[in-house]
Amino acid sequence: MTPDLLRAADTHLRAIDPVMAGLIDRYGPCGLTVKTGSPFEVLAAAIISQQLSNKAAGTIQARVVALVGSLTAEALAVADKDALRACGLSNAKARWLTALGQAVVSGTLDFNAIAAMDNFEAIRTLDALPGIGPWTAEMWLIFAQGREDLFSMGDVGLRNAINALYAGGEKLDEPATRAITDRWAPYRSCASWYLWRMTDAADSYWG
């Protein structure tokens, strides 16, 4: 997410869509950024944060790091699940984190290979992992790999924002929504950033 790319995104979105132009005027230049940390760390933190507030997720993540030393595949692959649960993780999240670590250590999951995949294949690969659904996969591709042209149809906040802006609050179906979002290519992730400003997602792990 370079400054030049973000400026190009704003120029394109402003020219192609007057609603987006209004959002750019309201929220200023696109501030979409890639998260710090390794690809594995970002994905592990995403699992920890699922269905939790930022504060609760941060507390639990700090306990996990204190337990295993760092959010690395090698550390989590051999972590004791009972000890992970004692950090505040659910049984499922403890299993998912160790499985994620084992997938990387074994070579089943290769982040360099994912980087070379198109969006569809990358999402399919990540979705096959325990605890990683399509939405988390899409968020990771945007916020860990910096992919600038993704729109998540499964993101309720994004869909609600589009309904409010383009349909007076009426619920648009997927084809109608896609007809709107396709205009934003190749900067759909950047357009999503503006929609997230309208929702509580601005305060989430991915915000």
Side-chain angles (χ1 to χ4, degrees), residues 8-119:
D10 281 350
T11 298
H12 171 77
L13 294 172
R14 182 184 290 279
I16 204 72
D17 187 336
V19 174
M20 273 290 141
L23 292 179
I24 294 169
D25 289 339
R26 178 177 177 183
Y27 295 108
C30 182
L32 188 61
T33 57
V34 174
K35 282 189 166 293
T36 58
S38 70
F40 179 87
E41 183 179 355
V42 174
L43 194 54
I47 290 175
I48 292 171
S49 71
Q50 287 175 4
Q51 298 180 322
L52 294 176
S53 68
N54 275 352
K55 182 177 179 180
T59 298
I60 293 172
Q61 182 171 327
R63 292 173 185 162
V64 172
V65 170
L67 172 69
V68 302
S70 60
L71 287 184
T72 63
E74 293 74 16
L76 286 173
V78 297
D80 181 81
K81 293 185 182 66
D82 289 336
L84 288 174
R85 288 201 302 273
C87 295
L89 293 169
S90 65
N91 291 341
K93 287 184 180 181
R95 292 196 309 272
W96 296 341
L97 286 174
T98 55
L100 181 64
Q102 290 163 2
V104 172
V105 170
S106 69
T108 302
L109 177 61
D110 183 339
F111 291 117
N112 290 329
I114 291 176
M117 298 175 184
D118 63 23
N119 290 338

Side-chain angles (χ1 to χ4, degrees), residues 165-177:
L165 289 167
Y166 294 87
E170 294 294 321
K171 186 175 181 180
L172 296 175
D173 61 16
E174 185 167 322
T177 301

Side-chain angles (χ1 to χ4, degrees), residues 179-199:
I180 294 167
T181 62
D182 282 352
R183 283 185 256 168
W184 304 333
Y187 301 112
R188 281 172 281 196
S189 303
C190 301
S192 297
W193 182 87
Y194 285 104
L195 300 180
W196 279 318
R197 296 312 93 193
M198 300 174 56
T199 72

